[in-house]
Amino acid sequence: MTEHPSQSVKFYQTGTHTVGNRLLDETKRTVQASVDRSNAITSGHRACQGCGEALGARYALDSAMRATDGQLVAVNATGCLEVFTTPYPETSWQLPWLHSLFGNAPAVATGVAAAFRVKGRKDVRVIAQGGDGSTTDIGFGCLSGMFERNDDVLYICYDNEAYMNTGVQRSSATPPFARTATTQAIGEAPGNVFGTGKNLPLIAMAHNIPYVATASVADLHDLEYKVTKAMGMRGARYIHILVPCPLGWGSASDATIQVARLAIESGLFPLFEAEHGEVTQVSKIRRRVMAEDYLKVQKRFAHLFRKEGKDVDKIAVVQRMADHNIKRFGLMDEETAQ
Amino acid sequence: MHHQIEGSEAVARAVALCRPEVVCAYPITPQTHIVEGVGALVKKGQLTDCEFINVESEFAALSVAIGASAAGARTYTATASQGLLFMAEAVYNAAGLGLPIVMTIGNRAIGAPINIWNDHSDSMSMRDAGWIQLYAETNQEAVDLHIQAFRLAEELSCPVMVCMDGFILTHAYERIDLPSQQEVDAFLPRFEPVQVLDPAHPYSIGAMVGPEAFTEVRYLAHDKQVQALQLIPEIGQVFSEVFGRASGGLIHEYKSDGAETIVVALGSVNGTIKEVIDVMRGDGLAIGSVSICSFRPFPLDELRDALKSAKRVVVIEKNLAPGLGGVLASNVRMALRGATATVYTVIAGLGGRPILMNSLHDVFIAASEDKLTDVQFLDLNQAVVDLELERARTTRHSGPTAESILRQNAKVGE
Ligand SMILES: Cc1ncc(C[n+]2csc(CCOP(=O)(O)OP(=O)(O)O)c2C)c(N)n1
Ligand code: SF4
Ligand SMILES: [Mg+2]
């Protein structure tokens, strides 16, 4: 297995989790730290303050640009990322970029890759990207088809756990109990009433594609490493990035990284890599937090924390999901697990 | 060279002669033999430098085509019926993006009730998507139109649908003159895209456009179709010079000069219509026909001119606009605005019902005596319809109409 920079060096300052980028070896510093970064999504776009998707996409695309020496094409599904980086003539994209529809980005990317292959341009690589709605719902068929054919495309899902661009409606990636505009916090069963969210990384793994990884804006170094690694491979690859949305989640816009970190440290969003359907690497939880700590900083779960008292049963359901992940992926070392 | 081959096979070979670089395939009757044929040519190594991609739906087929075309590849796919509807969103998108994709439609009815046989409901549903729509009268014309379609699409940066009647053409074995590779290469220049995804010149394709420019963008889509009105006959002319036979163009006139009754139709039914006209001309009736090859753009002026002698126009319509009549007839009326000719709509051949010479003969005679209603259904079994209407009136839980019609038919047949 390739050496994992964010784990081989541990310069964390207690309490802040800041990685001492400048203390790292030149080659291991973040792409963003370099003056040569491509600025694939340049400044001036219209994302909300603290948008996790804007941050995730910027890091992902700049890493992929570096990994491919700038020979990169991006296909974008409809959604926040597409909308806030455009309209004409104010596009933020500094690389060739194509938006077709909400549900077809994986197929469009297949076509782009096929065109470059037939023209003998093996150096030009293709990324497709979309939100959780386009990935886990409307574009799911096209994504599965692209995986099954093992087309030479890296697909990145920016998961903010709802249809944000249309005003925060529930998607199949919305977690249980979350309040959205179509699962309002009213009535007998407030918030999202069923499901645990569709687990697309596991579904992607079931296609036995060369590479699947999860990543988070709370660990941008790790995100860059995974995108870089994916661009070093051929065939269908999938990276699922958790990107908090202050607007939809009701979290503070300066707390995006913190919320994303709580998702990891609680076990609710496991960070791992898988190759050909087998998990090959897992990021261990460093300092475990309870699911409750993650839920209570987001207004979308406010109905679980009413003045009359906490909804302990529902919080316990979410805790069980976290526990299950910790066990399933081995997220904790024996000694920290207690 | 002449070959005795199936229409689908002929089209597959014609498409291959155009050297497509990306071909997407998803099966639906009656289009299957076409994509199978192209796939086989790729596998045999007769069509080289071509990515043949089996996809998981028609929506994906056209989406892959969109990506490939935007990256500068000559791109082809084919579909029919439910498949065309399944890709509807991408159909509009391809046109909006100005991507010169060529797509064959093996015309077939749309369900429910599900029906695999021919009519024009499928392509008609996409008539305003911004694609050029050409309708082939014969398999030879289907071959020729595909070769012209790539040139037309690429000159205008506009996608083109070549519509050929399912089964009637796609599955018919006929003698076809297939051109040589040299001839096609001489006719069809290399694809030079006006916009292409290229890391050396990055730009954004398909970004959002607001009210301040959307009308202009749409106007230019209309203008492209207007330009096509010039270009289609020009390309047809060059085609006839290179290949030695006339094919394509906007309309084909048959004995319509000075005719008082003129029949208008799309596609293969024109063959039958011409035979009926020959019979009726023999009986001294002043009747002729116009076959429309280019339905989009719609050749308003050419048609108006071709119909100038008509006292009446009979539109043979292989589609139904429920609540109105027929789509083609509405368009023909537009061409005749201000003229005095009466336009009759005859809905015929729905879901593959054979359009018989006798039936056409009767309807043309009735038309020439102005005894037709505005909208007429050819060979409609009125007795069965009446029974079914009566049953629905008297029974609330009357069940599936289609089934009871078939039961009635069986009884009538007993
Ligand atoms: C076929 C179709 N259905 C619905 C829409 C409306 N729509 C546009 S973006 C969007 C939500 C996108 O959600 P997601 O993919 O999660 O991305 P996000 O905006 O959350 O980043 C929806 C529902 C559309 N454009 N096309
Ligand atoms: S709504 Fe959410 S995802 Fe969309 S731009 Fe705002 S913060 Fe980002
Ligand atoms: Mg979303």
Side-chain angles (χ1 to χ4, degrees):
Chain A
M1 211 179 69
T2 326
E3 193 198 8
H4 193 298
S6 66
Q7 297 207 337
S8 60
V9 188
K10 287 188 177 171
F11 292 118
Y12 301 102
Q13 296 164 26
T14 328
T16 71
H17 296 268
T18 310
V19 179
N21 195 47
R22 280 174 301 148
L23 300 179
L24 294 174
D25 181 82
E26 285 269 7
T27 57
K28 290 180 176 170
R29 290 185 193 171
T30 70
V31 176
Q32 289 299 316
S34 162
V35 289
D36 299 328
R37 68 177 183 219
S38 57
N39 281 322
I41 310 170
T42 200
S43 57
H45 56 71
R46 294 163 166 79
C48 309
Q49 198 174 45
C51 174
E53 190 164 280
L55 183 64
R58 178 183 173 83
Y59 272 70
L61 271 290
D62 278 348
S63 309
M65 284 289 272
R66 175 187 275 188
T68 58
D69 207 11
Q71 300 302 301
L72 187 68
V73 175
V75 174
N76 219 122
T78 314
C80 268
L81 179 61
E82 169 259 332
V83 171
F84 72 63
T85 54
T86 59
Y88 284 130
E90 291 142 11
T91 177
S92 293
W93 298 95
Q94 305 299 305
L95 76 166
W97 180 89
L98 172 63
H99 164 248
S100 171
L101 296 167
F102 190 21
N104 70 356
V108 173
T110 290
V112 175
F116 281 109
R117 195 164 51 242
V118 80
K119 287 173 184 299
R121 289 291 308 271
K122 275 202 158 161
D123 55 323
V124 181
R125 308 298 303 278
V126 184
I127 281 185
Q129 50 187 355
D132 51 289
S134 69
T135 307
T136 70
D137 285 334
I138 200 166
F140 186 64
C142 283
L143 185 64
S144 178
M146 188 276 277
F147 287 164
E148 185 270 330
R149 291 184 302 266
N150 198 25
D151 292 327
D152 190 22
V153 172
L154 167 62
Y155 187 96
I156 301 179
C157 169
Y158 301 103
D159 182 7
N160 50 24
E161 302 188 329
Y163 293 104
M164 296 312 177
N165 187 52
T166 36
V168 198
Q169 295 84 12
R170 178 199 182 277
S171 81
S172 62
T174 301
F177 315 125
R179 171 271 283 145
T180 69
T182 50
T183 57
Q184 297 189 16
I186 47 179
E188 289 282 292
N192 194 19
V193 282
F194 56 89
T196 53
K198 199 188 273 184
N199 195 324
L200 214 75
L202 292 181
I203 296 170
M205 281 168 62
H207 290 76
N208 293 323
I209 54 175
Y211 188 68
V212 173
T214 58
S216 166
V217 289
D219 194 341
L220 291 163
H221 225 130
D222 179 62
L223 190 162
E224 288 189 339
Y225 152 78
K226 285 169 176 167
V227 172
T228 305
K229 179 164 169 179
M231 293 318 291
M233 301 168 125
R234 293 274 171 181
R237 291 141 291 143
Y238 179 74
I239 298 183
H240 190 105
I241 307 179
L242 187 72
V243 290
C245 162
L247 182 107
W249 293 16
S251 51
S253 55
D254 62 359
T256 296
I257 306 291
Q258 186 205 341
V259 174
R261 181 168 299 118
L262 291 170
I264 298 168
E265 302 287 81
S266 61
L268 285 168
F269 191 80
L271 291 183
F272 65 92
E273 293 176 276
E275 294 181 33
H276 300 286
E278 300 293 333
V279 174
T280 53
Q281 186 271 338
V282 170
S283 300
K284 301 280 183 188
I285 291 174
R286 281 190 289 120
R287 244 185 325 139
R288 187 180 183 187
V289 298
M290 293 295 107
E292 183 176 339
D293 300 317
Y294 168 70
L295 298 174
K296 71 185 177 204
V297 295
Q298 305 172 55
K299 291 208 185 73
R300 64 177 170 156
F301 297 112
H303 51 283
L304 303 182
F305 301 93
R306 291 215 166 107
K307 269 203 234 66
E308 312 86 78
K310 291 194 285 195
D311 194 333
V312 283
D313 292 347
K314 290 193 176 116
I315 295 169
V317 168
V318 181
Q319 185 59 54
R320 276 201 295 279
M321 283 170 59
D323 295 345
H324 178 68
N325 279 342
I326 289 171
K327 208 165 144 231
R328 179 180 207 166
F329 292 96
L331 296 178
M332 292 179 65
D333 292 327
E334 288 305 312
E335 71 275 18
T336 46
Q338 297 139 33
Chain B
M1 220 170 91
H2 284 88
H3 305 259
Q4 183 73 22
I5 50 173
E6 194 199 35
S8 296
E9 173 67 19
V11 166
R13 294 218 220 159
V15 166
L17 288 170
C18 296
R19 303 184 188 275
E21 294 169 291
V22 176
V23 174
C24 319
Y26 191 82
I28 182 164
T29 304
Q31 148 272 27
T32 41
H33 294 180
I34 302 175
V35 287
E36 288 165 9
V38 180
L41 291 171
V42 174
K43 274 222 146 171
K44 277 189 263 180
Q46 289 176 14
L47 172 56
T48 52
D49 297 321
C50 176
E51 294 277 334
F52 182 80
I53 304 175
N54 282 294
V55 291
E56 73 284 355
S57 74
E58 287 88 357
F59 179 61
L62 192 54
S63 298
V64 170
I66 285 170
S69 186
R74 181 171 288 165
T75 306
Y76 171 81
T77 189
T79 191
S81 182
Q82 315 298 135
L84 183 62
L85 294 201
F86 200 75
M87 61 165 72
E89 201 192 0
V91 173
Y92 274 77
N93 191 253
L97 293 171
L99 299 173
I101 298 161
V102 171
M103 174 159 72
T104 309
I105 307 299
N107 281 111
R108 163 180 157 181
I110 288 172
I114 190 165
N115 172 299
I116 60 167
W117 293 278
N118 167 248
D119 68 34
H120 292 160
S121 309
D122 50 4
S123 51
M124 280 293 151
S125 75
M126 290 296 130
R127 67 187 179 274
D128 298 324
W131 290 55
I132 287 168
Q133 277 196 351
L134 308 176
Y135 286 76
E137 214 179 297
T138 61
N139 279 341
Q140 183 65 61
E141 192 171 44
V143 162
D144 298 348
L145 286 180
H146 279 89
I147 298 165
Q148 297 184 32
F150 281 102
R151 178 153 165 182
L152 184 61
E154 289 168 13
E155 271 195 54
L156 286 172
S157 284
C158 182
V160 178
M161 270 179 219
V162 181
C163 306
M164 60 191 292
D165 285 315
F167 292 111
I168 299 168
L169 293 183
T170 55
H171 287 57
Y173 280 75
E174 282 181 334
R175 215 169 102 91
I176 304 288
D177 187 359
L178 275 177
S180 68
Q181 187 66 63
Q182 289 82 346
E183 284 172 311
V184 176
D185 287 348
F187 174 77
L188 186 61
R190 260 180 50 115
F191 172 33
E192 282 294 342
V194 297
Q195 56 175 0
V196 67
L197 294 165
D198 176 6
H201 306 279
Y203 44 67
S204 300
I205 302 179
M208 186 177 267
V209 171
E212 68 279 15
F214 196 75
T215 303
E216 285 69 25
V217 172
R218 296 306 295 154
Y219 173 82
L220 289 171
H222 174 64
D223 188 67
K224 237 179 223 185
Q225 297 264 338
V226 174
Q227 290 176 43
L229 285 173
Q230 295 282 330
L231 200 55
I232 290 168
E234 276 170 33
I235 287 179
Q237 184 58 37
V238 179
F239 184 90
S240 68
E241 284 157 19
V242 176
F243 299 90
R245 66 173 167 272
S247 243
L250 297 168
I251 59 173
H252 307 307
E253 296 175 64
Y254 186 72
K255 301 188 178 172
S256 58
D257 204 20
E260 292 180 358
T261 304
I262 301 183
V263 184
V264 176
L266 294 167
S268 64
V269 71
N270 280 290
T272 319
I273 290 170
K274 283 183 204 168
E275 294 210 24
V276 178
I277 284 172
D278 286 346
V279 172
M280 293 176 74
R281 279 270 171 188
D283 297 339
L285 273 128
I287 184 167
S289 71
V290 177
S291 157
I292 296 182
C293 179
S294 165
F295 183 68
R296 284 292 181 273
F298 195 75
L300 287 170
D301 293 342
E302 291 72 13
L303 190 61
R304 188 183 167 80
D305 190 50
L307 299 177
K308 61 179 180 294
S309 63
K311 292 201 173 118
R312 62 197 70 82
V313 175
V314 184
V315 180
I316 300 296
E317 219 30 286
K318 280 197 184 182
N319 79 90
L320 173 65
L324 175 69
V327 178
L328 178 58
S330 308
N331 287 255
V332 171
R333 283 198 175 87
M334 175 86 169
L336 287 173
R337 67 206 175 281
T340 52
T342 313
V343 179
Y344 297 111
T345 306
V346 179
I347 310 289
L350 295 187
R353 176 162 298 185
I355 301 180
L356 303 174
M357 280 184 71
N358 279 347
S359 308
L360 285 181
H361 186 268
D362 290 351
V363 95
F364 295 162
I365 291 287
S368 63
E369 295 165 1
D370 286 316
K371 284 183 186 154
L372 281 186
T373 48
D374 273 356
V375 180
Q376 189 100 8
F377 284 70
L378 193 73
D379 294 339
L380 180 74
N381 189 336
Q382 193 64 49
V384 165
V385 168
D386 290 345
L387 277 172
E388 181 57 16
L389 286 172
E390 177 59 17
R391 207 178 59 83
R393 246 192 312 274
T394 50
T395 338
R396 177 66 205 164
H397 295 286
S398 51
T401 299
E403 182 179 1
S404 88
I405 285 178
L406 284 162
R407 286 188 195 285
Q408 304 284 10
N409 276 352
K411 271 192 221 147
V412 172
E414 269 166 21

